[in-house]
Coordinates of all heavy atoms in Angstrom, one line a residue:
M13 N 54.0 131.8 144.4 CA 54.8 131.8 145.7 C 54.8 133.2 146.3 O 54.3 134.1 145.7 CB 56.2 131.3 145.4 CG 57.0 132.2 144.4 SD 58.6 131.6 144.2 CE 59.3 132.0 145.8
T14 N 55.3 133.2 147.5 CA 55.2 134.5 148.3 C 56.6 134.9 148.7 O 57.4 134.1 149.1 CB 54.4 134.2 149.5 OG1 53.1 133.7 149.2 CG2 54.2 135.5 150.3
C15 N 56.9 136.2 148.5 CA 58.2 136.7 149.0 C 58.2 136.7 150.5 O 57.3 137.1 151.2 CB 58.3 138.2 148.5 SG 59.8 139.0 149.1
R16 N 59.4 136.2 151.0 CA 59.5 136.1 152.5 C 59.6 137.5 153.1 O 59.3 137.7 154.3 CB 60.7 135.3 152.8 CG 60.7 133.9 152.5 CD 62.0 133.2 152.7 NE 62.0 131.9 152.1 CZ 61.6 130.8 152.8 NH1 61.1 131.0 154.0 NH2 61.6 129.7 152.2
K17 N 60.1 138.4 152.4 CA 60.5 139.7 153.0 C 59.3 140.7 152.9 O 58.9 141.2 154.0 CB 61.7 140.3 152.2 CG 62.3 141.5 152.9 CD 63.6 141.9 152.2 CE 64.1 143.2 152.7 NZ 65.2 143.7 151.8
C18 N 58.7 140.9 151.7 CA 57.6 141.9 151.6 C 56.2 141.3 151.5 O 55.2 142.0 151.5 CB 57.9 142.9 150.5 SG 57.7 142.1 148.9
G19 N 56.1 140.0 151.3 CA 54.8 139.4 151.2 C 54.2 139.4 149.8 O 53.1 139.0 149.6
Y20 N 54.9 139.9 148.8 CA 54.4 140.0 147.4 C 54.1 138.6 147.0 O 54.9 137.6 147.2 CB 55.5 140.6 146.5 CG 55.2 140.5 145.1 CD1 54.3 141.3 144.5 CD2 55.9 139.5 144.3 CE1 54.0 141.2 143.1 CE2 55.6 139.4 142.9 CZ 54.7 140.3 142.3 OH 54.4 140.1 141.0
Q21 N 53.0 138.4 146.3 CA 52.6 137.1 145.8 C 52.4 137.1 144.3 O 51.9 138.1 143.7 CB 51.2 136.7 146.4 CG 51.3 136.3 147.9 CD 50.1 135.8 148.4 OE1 49.1 135.7 147.7 NE2 50.1 135.3 149.6
Q22 N 52.8 136.0 143.6 CA 52.4 135.8 142.2 C 52.4 134.3 142.0 O 52.9 133.5 142.7 CB 53.4 136.5 141.3 CG 54.7 135.8 141.0 CD 55.5 136.5 140.0 OE1 55.4 137.7 139.8 NE2 56.4 135.8 139.3
E23 N 51.7 134.0 140.9 CA 51.4 132.6 140.6 C 52.8 131.8 140.2 O 53.0 130.8 140.7 CB 50.5 132.4 139.3 CG 49.1 132.6 139.6 CD 48.5 131.5 140.5 OE1 48.8 130.4 140.3 OE2 47.8 131.9 141.5
Q24 N 53.6 132.4 139.4 CA 54.8 131.8 139.0 C 55.9 131.9 140.0 O 55.8 132.8 140.9 CB 55.4 132.4 137.7 CG 54.4 132.2 136.5 CD 53.6 133.5 136.2 OE1 53.4 134.3 137.1 NE2 53.1 133.6 135.0
K25 N 56.8 131.0 139.9 CA 58.0 131.1 140.8 C 58.9 132.2 140.4 O 58.9 132.6 139.2 CB 58.8 129.8 140.7 CG 58.1 128.7 141.4 CD 59.0 127.4 141.2 CE 58.2 126.2 141.7 NZ 58.9 125.0 141.6
F26 N 59.5 132.9 141.3 CA 60.5 133.9 141.0 C 61.8 133.7 141.9 O 61.7 133.2 143.0 CB 60.0 135.3 141.1 CG 59.3 135.6 142.5 CD1 60.1 136.0 143.6 CD2 57.9 135.5 142.6 CE1 59.4 136.2 144.8 CE2 57.3 135.8 143.8 CZ 58.1 136.1 144.9
D27 N 62.9 133.9 141.3 CA 64.2 133.8 142.1 C 64.5 135.1 142.9 O 65.0 135.0 143.9 CB 65.3 133.5 141.1 CG 65.2 132.2 140.5 OD1 64.6 131.3 141.1 OD2 65.6 132.0 139.4
V28 N 64.1 136.2 142.2 CA 64.3 137.5 142.9 C 63.0 138.2 142.9 O 62.3 138.3 141.9 CB 65.4 138.4 142.1 CG1 65.5 139.7 142.8 CG2 66.7 137.6 142.0
C29 N 62.6 138.7 144.1 CA 61.3 139.4 144.2 C 61.3 140.6 143.3 O 62.2 141.5 143.5 CB 61.0 139.7 145.6 SG 59.6 140.7 145.9
P30 N 60.3 140.8 142.4 CA 60.2 142.0 141.6 C 59.9 143.3 142.4 O 60.1 144.4 141.9 CB 59.1 141.7 140.6 CG 58.3 140.6 141.2 CD 59.2 139.9 142.2
V31 N 59.4 143.1 143.6 CA 59.1 144.3 144.4 C 60.2 144.8 145.2 O 60.6 146.0 145.2 CB 57.8 144.0 145.3 CG1 57.5 145.2 146.2 CG2 56.6 143.7 144.4
C32 N 60.8 143.9 146.0 CA 61.9 144.4 147.0 C 63.2 143.8 146.6 O 64.2 144.1 147.3 CB 61.5 144.0 148.4 SG 61.5 142.2 148.7
N33 N 63.4 143.0 145.5 CA 64.6 142.4 145.1 C 65.2 141.4 146.1 O 66.4 141.1 146.1 CB 65.7 143.5 144.8 CG 65.3 144.2 143.5 OD1 64.8 143.6 142.6 ND2 65.5 145.5 143.5
E34 N 64.4 140.9 147.0 CA 64.9 139.9 147.9 C 65.2 138.6 147.2 O 64.3 138.1 146.4 CB 63.8 139.6 149.0 CG 64.1 138.4 149.9 CD 65.0 138.7 151.0 OE1 65.6 139.8 151.0 OE2 65.1 137.9 152.0
V35 N 66.4 138.1 147.3 CA 66.7 136.8 146.7 C 66.3 135.7 147.6 O 67.1 135.3 148.5 CB 68.3 136.8 146.4 CG1 68.6 135.5 145.6 CG2 68.7 138.0 145.6
S36 N 65.1 135.3 147.5 CA 64.5 134.4 148.6 C 64.7 133.0 148.2 O 64.8 132.1 149.1 CB 63.1 134.8 148.9 OG 62.3 134.7 147.7
V37 N 64.6 132.7 146.9 CA 64.5 131.3 146.5 C 65.9 130.6 146.4 O 66.0 129.4 146.5 CB 63.7 131.2 145.2 CG1 63.4 129.7 144.9 CG2 62.4 132.0 145.4
K38 N 66.9 131.4 146.0 CA 68.1 130.7 145.7 C 69.0 130.3 146.9 O 69.9 129.6 146.8 CB 69.0 131.7 144.8 CG 68.4 131.8 143.5 CD 69.4 132.1 142.4 CE 68.8 131.9 141.0 NZ 69.6 132.5 140.0
V39 N 68.5 130.7 148.1 CA 69.2 130.3 149.3 C 68.8 128.9 149.7 O 67.7 128.7 150.3 CB 68.9 131.3 150.5 CG1 69.8 131.0 151.7 CG2 69.2 132.7 150.0
E40 N 69.6 128.0 149.3 CA 69.1 126.6 149.4 C 69.0 126.1 150.8 O 68.2 125.2 151.1 CB 70.1 125.7 148.6 CG 69.4 124.4 148.2 CD 70.2 123.7 147.2 OE1 70.4 124.2 146.0 OE2 70.8 122.6 147.5
E41 N 69.7 126.7 151.8 CA 69.6 126.3 153.2 C 68.2 126.5 153.7 O 67.8 125.8 154.7 CB 70.6 127.1 154.1 CG 72.0 126.8 153.8 CD 72.5 127.5 152.6 OE1 72.4 128.7 152.4 OE2 73.1 126.8 151.7
K42 N 67.4 127.4 153.1 CA 66.1 127.6 153.5 C 65.1 126.5 153.1 O 64.0 126.4 153.6 CB 65.6 128.9 153.0 CG 66.2 130.1 153.7 CD 65.6 131.4 153.2 CE 66.2 132.6 153.8 NZ 65.7 133.9 153.2
Y43 N 65.5 125.7 152.1 CA 64.7 124.7 151.6 C 64.5 123.6 152.6 O 65.4 123.2 153.3 CB 65.2 124.1 150.3 CG 65.2 125.0 149.1 CD1 65.8 124.5 147.9 CD2 64.7 126.2 149.2 CE1 65.8 125.3 146.8 CE2 64.7 127.0 148.1 CZ 65.2 126.6 146.9 OH 65.2 127.4 145.8
K44 N 63.3 123.0 152.7 CA 63.1 121.9 153.6 C 63.5 120.6 152.9 O 63.5 120.4 151.7 CB 61.7 121.9 154.0 CG 61.4 123.1 154.9 CD 60.0 123.3 155.3 CE 60.0 124.4 156.3 NZ 58.9 125.3 156.0
S45 N 63.9 119.6 153.8 CA 64.4 118.3 153.3 C 63.2 117.4 152.8 O 62.3 117.2 153.6 CB 65.2 117.7 154.4 OG 65.3 116.3 154.1
K46 N 63.3 116.9 151.6 CA 62.4 116.0 151.0 C 62.4 114.7 151.8 O 61.4 114.1 152.2 CB 62.7 115.7 149.6 CG 61.8 114.8 148.9 CD 62.1 114.9 147.4 CE 62.5 113.5 146.8 NZ 62.7 113.6 145.3
L47 N 63.6 114.2 152.1 CA 63.7 112.9 152.8 C 63.1 113.0 154.2 O 62.3 112.1 154.6 CB 65.2 112.6 152.9 CG 65.5 111.2 153.6 CD1 64.9 110.1 152.8 CD2 67.0 111.0 153.8
L48 N 63.4 114.1 154.9 CA 62.9 114.2 156.3 C 61.4 114.4 156.2 O 60.7 113.7 157.0 CB 63.5 115.5 157.0 CG 63.0 115.8 158.4 CD1 63.2 114.6 159.3 CD2 63.7 117.0 158.9
A49 N 60.9 115.2 155.3 CA 59.4 115.4 155.2 C 58.7 114.0 154.9 O 57.7 113.7 155.5 CB 59.1 116.4 154.1
G50 N 59.3 113.3 154.0 CA 58.7 112.0 153.6 C 58.7 111.0 154.7 O 57.7 110.3 155.0
L51 N 59.8 110.9 155.5 CA 59.9 110.0 156.6 C 59.0 110.4 157.7 O 58.3 109.6 158.4 CB 61.4 109.9 157.1 CG 62.4 109.2 156.2 CD1 63.8 109.3 156.8 CD2 62.0 107.8 155.9
L52 N 58.9 111.7 158.0 CA 57.9 112.2 159.0 C 56.5 111.8 158.6 O 55.7 111.4 159.4 CB 58.0 113.7 159.1 CG 59.2 114.3 159.8 CD1 59.2 115.8 159.7 CD2 59.3 113.9 161.3
G53 N 56.2 111.9 157.3 CA 54.8 111.5 156.8 C 54.6 110.0 157.0 O 53.5 109.6 157.5
I54 N 55.6 109.2 156.7 CA 55.4 107.7 156.8 C 55.3 107.3 158.3 O 54.4 106.5 158.6 CB 56.6 107.0 156.1 CG1 56.4 107.2 154.6 CG2 56.6 105.5 156.4 CD1 57.6 106.8 153.8
F55 N 56.2 107.8 159.2 CA 56.2 107.3 160.5 C 55.3 108.1 161.5 O 54.8 107.6 162.5 CB 57.6 107.3 161.0 CG 58.5 106.3 160.3 CD1 59.5 106.7 159.4 CD2 58.3 104.9 160.5 CE1 60.2 105.7 158.7 CE2 59.0 104.0 159.9 CZ 60.0 104.4 159.0
L56 N 55.2 109.4 161.2 CA 54.4 110.3 162.2 C 53.3 111.0 161.5 O 52.7 111.9 162.0 CB 55.3 111.3 162.8 CG 56.4 110.7 163.7 CD1 57.5 111.8 164.1 CD2 55.8 110.1 165.0
G57 N 52.9 110.5 160.2 CA 51.9 111.2 159.4 C 50.5 111.2 160.1 O 49.7 112.0 159.8
A58 N 50.3 110.2 160.9 CA 49.0 110.1 161.6 C 48.7 111.3 162.5 O 47.6 111.6 162.7 CB 49.0 108.8 162.5
Y59 N 49.8 112.0 162.9 CA 49.6 113.2 163.7 C 50.0 114.5 162.9 O 50.2 115.6 163.5 CB 50.4 113.1 165.0 CG 50.0 111.9 165.7 CD1 50.8 110.7 165.7 CD2 48.8 111.8 166.4 CE1 50.4 109.6 166.3 CE2 48.4 110.7 167.0 CZ 49.2 109.6 167.0 OH 48.7 108.4 167.6
G60 N 50.1 114.3 161.6 CA 50.3 115.5 160.7 C 51.7 116.2 160.8 O 51.9 117.3 160.4
V61 N 52.7 115.4 161.4 CA 54.0 116.1 161.7 C 54.6 116.6 160.4 O 55.2 117.7 160.4 CB 54.9 115.1 162.4 CG1 56.3 115.7 162.7 CG2 54.3 114.7 163.8
H62 N 54.5 115.8 159.3 CA 55.2 116.2 158.0 C 54.5 117.5 157.5 O 55.2 118.4 156.9 CB 55.1 115.1 157.0 CG 53.7 114.7 156.7 ND1 52.8 114.2 157.7 CD2 53.0 114.7 155.5 CE1 51.7 113.9 157.1 NE2 51.7 114.2 155.8
N63 N 53.2 117.7 157.7 CA 52.6 118.9 157.3 C 52.9 120.1 158.2 O 53.0 121.2 157.7 CB 51.0 118.7 157.1 CG 50.7 118.0 155.9 OD1 51.2 118.2 154.8 ND2 49.8 117.0 156.0
F64 N 53.1 119.9 159.5 CA 53.6 121.0 160.3 C 55.0 121.4 159.8 O 55.3 122.6 159.7 CB 53.7 120.5 161.8 CG 52.4 120.5 162.5 CD1 51.8 119.3 163.0 CD2 51.7 121.7 162.8 CE1 50.6 119.3 163.6 CE2 50.5 121.7 163.4 CZ 49.9 120.5 163.9
Y65 N 55.8 120.4 159.5 CA 57.2 120.7 159.0 C 57.1 121.5 157.7 O 57.9 122.4 157.6 CB 57.9 119.3 158.8 CG 59.3 119.5 158.2 CD1 60.3 120.2 158.9 CD2 59.5 118.9 157.0 CE1 61.5 120.3 158.3 CE2 60.8 119.1 156.4 CZ 61.8 119.7 157.1 OH 63.0 119.9 156.5
L66 N 56.2 121.1 156.8 CA 56.2 121.8 155.5 C 55.4 123.1 155.5 O 55.4 123.9 154.6 CB 55.6 120.9 154.4 CG 56.4 119.7 154.1 CD1 55.7 118.8 153.1 CD2 57.8 120.0 153.6
G67 N 54.7 123.4 156.7 CA 54.0 124.6 156.8 C 52.5 124.6 156.4 O 51.8 125.6 156.4
F68 N 52.0 123.3 156.1 CA 50.6 123.2 155.8 C 49.8 123.0 157.1 O 49.4 121.9 157.4 CB 50.4 121.9 154.9 CG 51.0 122.1 153.5 CD1 52.1 121.3 153.2 CD2 50.5 122.9 152.6 CE1 52.7 121.4 151.9 CE2 51.1 123.0 151.3 CZ 52.2 122.3 151.0
T69 N 49.7 124.1 157.8 CA 49.3 124.0 159.2 C 47.9 123.5 159.4 O 47.6 122.7 160.2 CB 49.5 125.3 159.9 OG1 50.8 125.8 159.7 CG2 49.3 125.2 161.4
S70 N 47.0 124.1 158.5 CA 45.6 123.7 158.7 C 45.3 122.2 158.5 O 44.6 121.5 159.2 CB 44.6 124.6 157.9 OG 45.1 124.6 156.6
K71 N 46.0 121.7 157.4 CA 45.9 120.3 157.1 C 46.5 119.4 158.3 O 46.0 118.4 158.7 CB 46.6 120.0 155.8 CG 46.4 118.5 155.3 CD 46.6 118.4 153.8 CE 48.0 118.5 153.4 NZ 48.2 118.1 152.0
A72 N 47.6 120.0 158.8 CA 48.3 119.2 159.9 C 47.5 119.2 161.1 O 47.4 118.1 161.8 CB 49.6 120.0 160.2
V73 N 46.7 120.2 161.4 CA 45.9 120.2 162.6 C 44.7 119.2 162.4 O 44.4 118.5 163.3 CB 45.3 121.6 162.8 CG1 44.2 121.6 163.9 CG2 46.4 122.6 163.3
I74 N 44.2 119.1 161.2 CA 43.1 118.1 160.9 C 43.7 116.7 161.1 O 43.0 115.9 161.8 CB 42.6 118.3 159.5 CG1 41.8 119.6 159.3 CG2 41.7 117.1 159.1 CD1 41.5 120.0 157.9
Q75 N 44.9 116.5 160.6 CA 45.5 115.1 160.8 C 45.8 114.8 162.3 O 45.6 113.7 162.7 CB 46.7 115.0 160.0 CG 46.4 114.9 158.5 CD 47.7 114.8 157.6 OE1 48.7 115.4 157.9 NE2 47.6 114.1 156.5
L76 N 46.2 115.9 163.0 CA 46.5 115.7 164.4 C 45.3 115.3 165.2 O 45.3 114.4 166.0 CB 47.1 117.0 164.9 CG 47.5 117.0 166.4 CD1 48.5 116.0 166.8 CD2 48.0 118.4 166.9
L77 N 44.2 116.0 164.9 CA 42.9 115.8 165.6 C 42.4 114.4 165.2 O 42.0 113.6 166.1 CB 41.9 116.8 165.2 CG 42.2 118.2 165.8 CD1 41.1 119.2 165.3 CD2 42.2 118.2 167.3
L78 N 42.5 114.0 163.9 CA 42.1 112.7 163.5 C 42.9 111.6 164.2 O 42.5 110.6 164.6 CB 42.2 112.5 162.0 CG 41.1 113.0 161.1 CD1 41.5 112.9 159.6 CD2 39.9 112.2 161.3
G79 N 44.2 111.9 164.2 CA 45.2 111.0 164.9 C 44.8 110.7 166.3 O 44.9 109.6 166.8
I80 N 44.4 111.8 167.0 CA 44.1 111.7 168.4 C 42.8 110.9 168.6 O 42.7 110.0 169.4 CB 44.1 113.1 169.1 CG1 45.5 113.6 169.1 CG2 43.5 113.0 170.5 CD1 45.6 115.1 169.5
F81 N 41.7 111.4 167.9 CA 40.4 110.8 168.1 C 40.1 109.5 167.5 O 39.3 108.7 167.9 CB 39.3 111.9 167.7 CG 39.4 113.1 168.6 CD1 39.7 114.3 168.1 CD2 39.0 113.0 169.9 CE1 39.8 115.4 168.9 CE2 39.0 114.1 170.8 CZ 39.4 115.3 170.3
C82 N 40.9 109.2 166.4 CA 40.6 107.9 165.7 C 41.8 107.0 165.9 O 42.1 106.1 165.1 CB 40.3 108.1 164.2 SG 39.1 109.3 163.9
L83 N 42.7 107.3 166.9 CA 43.8 106.5 167.2 C 44.8 106.3 166.0 O 45.5 105.3 165.9 CB 43.4 105.1 167.7 CG 42.5 105.1 168.9 CD1 42.0 103.7 169.2 CD2 43.1 105.8 170.1
G84 N 44.7 107.3 165.1 CA 45.7 107.3 164.0 C 45.5 106.4 162.9 O 46.4 106.2 162.0
I85 N 44.3 105.7 162.8 CA 44.2 104.7 161.8 C 44.0 105.4 160.4 O 44.8 105.2 159.5 CB 43.0 103.8 162.1 CG1 43.3 103.0 163.4 CG2 42.7 102.8 160.9 CD1 42.1 102.4 164.0
G86 N 42.9 106.2 160.3 CA 42.7 106.8 159.0 C 43.8 107.8 158.6 O 44.3 107.8 157.5
S87 N 44.1 108.7 159.6 CA 45.1 109.7 159.3 C 46.5 109.1 159.1 O 47.3 109.6 158.4 CB 45.1 110.7 160.4 OG 45.5 110.1 161.6
G88 N 46.7 107.9 159.7 CA 48.0 107.2 159.5 C 48.2 106.8 158.0 O 49.2 106.9 157.4
I89 N 47.1 106.3 157.4 CA 47.1 105.9 156.0 C 47.3 107.1 155.1 O 48.1 107.2 154.2 CB 45.9 105.1 155.6 CG1 45.8 103.8 156.4 CG2 45.8 104.9 154.1 CD1 44.5 103.1 156.3
W90 N 46.6 108.2 155.5 CA 46.7 109.5 154.8 C 48.1 110.0 154.8 O 48.7 110.3 153.8 CB 45.7 110.5 155.4 CG 45.6 111.8 154.8 CD1 46.2 112.3 153.6 CD2 44.9 113.0 155.3 NE1 45.8 113.6 153.4 CE2 45.0 114.0 154.4 CE3 44.1 113.2 156.5 CZ2 44.4 115.3 154.6 CZ3 43.5 114.4 156.7 CH2 43.7 115.4 155.7
G91 N 48.7 110.0 156.0 CA 50.1 110.5 156.2 C 51.1 109.6 155.5 O 52.0 110.1 154.9
L92 N 50.8 108.3 155.5 CA 51.7 107.3 154.8 C 51.7 107.6 153.3 O 52.8 107.7 152.7 CB 51.2 105.9 155.1 CG 51.9 104.8 154.3 CD1 53.4 104.6 154.8 CD2 51.2 103.5 154.5
I93 N 50.5 107.8 152.8 CA 50.4 108.1 151.3 C 51.1 109.4 151.0 O 51.9 109.5 150.0 CB 48.9 108.2 150.9 CG1 48.3 106.8 151.0 CG2 48.8 108.7 149.5 CD1 46.8 106.7 150.8
E94 N 50.9 110.5 151.8 CA 51.6 111.7 151.6 C 53.1 111.6 151.7 O 53.8 112.2 150.9 CB 51.0 112.8 152.5 CG 49.6 113.3 152.1 CD 49.2 114.5 152.8 OE1 49.6 114.7 154.0 OE2 48.4 115.2 152.3
G95 N 53.5 110.8 152.7 CA 55.0 110.6 152.8 C 55.6 110.0 151.6 O 56.6 110.4 151.1
I96 N 54.8 109.0 151.0 CA 55.3 108.3 149.8 C 55.3 109.3 148.6 O 56.2 109.4 147.8 CB 54.5 107.1 149.5 CG1 54.7 106.0 150.5 CG2 54.8 106.6 148.1 CD1 53.8 104.9 150.5
L97 N 54.2 110.2 148.5 CA 54.1 111.2 147.5 C 55.3 112.2 147.6 O 55.8 112.6 146.6 CB 52.8 111.9 147.5 CG 51.5 111.1 147.1 CD1 50.3 111.9 147.3 CD2 51.6 110.6 145.7
I98 N 55.7 112.5 148.8 CA 56.8 113.4 149.0 C 58.1 112.8 148.5 O 58.8 113.4 147.7 CB 56.9 113.9 150.5 CG1 55.7 114.7 150.9 CG2 58.2 114.6 150.7 CD1 55.5 114.9 152.4
L99 N 58.3 111.5 148.9 CA 59.5 110.8 148.5 C 59.6 110.6 147.0 O 60.7 110.6 146.5 CB 59.7 109.5 149.3 CG 60.0 109.7 150.8 CD1 60.0 108.3 151.4 CD2 61.3 110.4 151.0
T100 N 58.5 110.4 146.4 CA 58.5 110.1 144.9 C 58.5 111.4 144.1 O 58.5 111.4 142.9 CB 57.3 109.3 144.5 OG1 56.1 109.9 144.9 CG2 57.4 107.9 145.1
G101 N 58.3 112.6 144.8 CA 58.4 113.8 144.1 C 57.0 114.4 143.7 O 56.9 115.4 143.0
S102 N 55.9 113.6 143.9 CA 54.6 114.1 143.5 C 54.2 115.3 144.3 O 53.5 116.2 143.8 CB 53.6 113.0 143.7 OG 53.9 111.9 142.9
I103 N 54.6 115.3 145.6 CA 54.5 116.6 146.4 C 55.9 117.1 146.5 O 56.8 116.5 147.1 CB 54.0 116.3 147.8 CG1 52.5 115.7 147.8 CG2 54.0 117.6 148.7 CD1 52.0 115.3 149.1
S104 N 56.1 118.3 145.8 CA 57.5 118.7 145.7 C 57.7 120.1 146.2 O 58.8 120.7 146.0 CB 57.9 118.7 144.2 OG 57.0 119.5 143.4
E105 N 56.7 120.7 146.8 CA 56.9 122.1 147.3 C 56.3 122.2 148.7 O 55.4 121.4 149.1 CB 56.0 123.1 146.5 CG 56.6 123.3 145.1 CD 55.8 124.3 144.3 OE1 54.6 124.6 144.8 OE2 56.3 124.7 143.3
D106 N 56.9 123.1 149.5 CA 56.3 123.3 150.8 C 55.2 124.4 150.7 O 54.9 124.8 149.6 CB 57.4 123.8 151.8 CG 58.0 125.2 151.5 OD1 57.4 125.9 150.7 OD2 59.0 125.5 152.1
A107 N 54.6 124.8 151.8 CA 53.5 125.6 151.8 C 53.8 127.0 151.2 O 52.9 127.7 150.7 CB 52.9 125.8 153.2
A108 N 55.0 127.4 151.3 CA 55.4 128.7 150.7 C 55.8 128.6 149.2 O 56.1 129.6 148.6 CB 56.7 129.2 151.5
G109 N 55.7 127.4 148.7 CA 55.9 127.3 147.2 C 57.4 127.0 146.9 O 57.8 127.0 145.8
N110 N 58.2 126.8 147.9 CA 59.6 126.5 147.7 C 59.8 125.0 147.4 O 59.2 124.2 148.1 CB 60.5 127.0 148.9 CG 60.5 128.5 149.1 OD1 60.6 129.2 148.1 ND2 60.4 128.9 150.3
P111 N 60.7 124.7 146.5 CA 60.9 123.3 146.2 C 61.6 122.6 147.4 O 62.3 123.2 148.2 CB 61.9 123.3 145.0 CG 62.5 124.6 145.0 CD 61.5 125.6 145.7
L112 N 61.4 121.3 147.5 CA 62.0 120.6 148.6 C 63.4 120.1 148.2 O 63.7 119.8 147.0 CB 61.2 119.3 149.0 CG 59.8 119.6 149.4 CD1 59.1 118.3 149.7 CD2 59.8 120.5 150.6
K113 N 64.3 120.1 149.1 CA 65.7 119.8 148.8 C 65.9 118.3 148.8 O 65.3 117.6 149.6 CB 66.5 120.5 150.0 CG 67.9 120.2 150.1 CD 68.5 121.2 151.1 CE 68.2 120.9 152.5 NZ 68.9 121.7 153.5
E114 N 66.7 117.7 148.0 CA 67.0 116.3 147.9 C 67.6 115.8 149.2 O 68.4 116.4 149.8 CB 67.9 115.9 146.7 CG 67.2 116.1 145.4 CD 66.0 115.2 145.2 OE1 66.1 114.0 145.6 OE2 65.0 115.6 144.6
Ligands
ZN229 ZN1 59.6 141.1 148.1

């Protein structure tokens, strides 16, 4: 995960950044909603809306383009599956590595 303040990165999760002591992870209001992300994936996943919400921007752009040019058929199934994976907890982190809030 990545420190929001100084940009320090390490593989493991940390509650307090070892470089700048920013308490970035424990502030639960910053967590994104699992329910909202899952529903966005199921209903608007064809246009990558759930991935824009979670910060997976490059994947979201691909889905958006697929959604526009293929009328949302393939990317709709992709988004639907990701929405279900989010709701079941198989996808449990946003792009910054923060856990999703229940
Ligand atoms: Zn830091």
Side-chain angles (χ1 to χ4, degrees):
M13 64 176 291
T14 307
C15 173
R16 292 171 189 279
K17 194 173 167 191
C18 71
Y20 170 78
Q21 289 188 353
Q22 78 176 26
E23 282 293 317
Q24 296 97 339
K25 289 181 187 176
F26 51 84
D27 294 330
V28 178
C29 174
V31 175
C32 68
N33 290 325
E34 169 83 347
V35 184
S36 55
V37 188
K38 290 207 166 163
V39 185
E40 204 166 293
E41 291 77 53
K42 287 183 180 171
Y43 291 178
K44 289 174 176 136
S45 163
K46 179 167 124 179
L47 182 64
L48 178 57
L51 292 177
L52 287 174
I54 289 168
F55 292 108
L56 296 168
Y59 303 101
V61 176
H62 59 303
N63 281 318
F64 282 114
Y65 174 64
L66 293 177
F68 296 109
T69 310
S70 48
K71 187 157 71 170
V73 169
I74 293 168
Q75 286 177 328
L76 178 62
L77 293 175
L78 275 176
I80 291 168
F81 291 113
C82 309
L83 304 174
I85 297 163
S87 60
I89 295 166
W90 184 6
L92 175 67
I93 291 169
E94 285 190 331
I96 291 167
L97 290 176
I98 291 166
L99 290 178
T100 56
S102 297
I103 295 174
S104 60
E105 290 182 347
D106 69 12
N110 291 322
L112 301 180
K113 172 169 75 172
E114 288 298 319

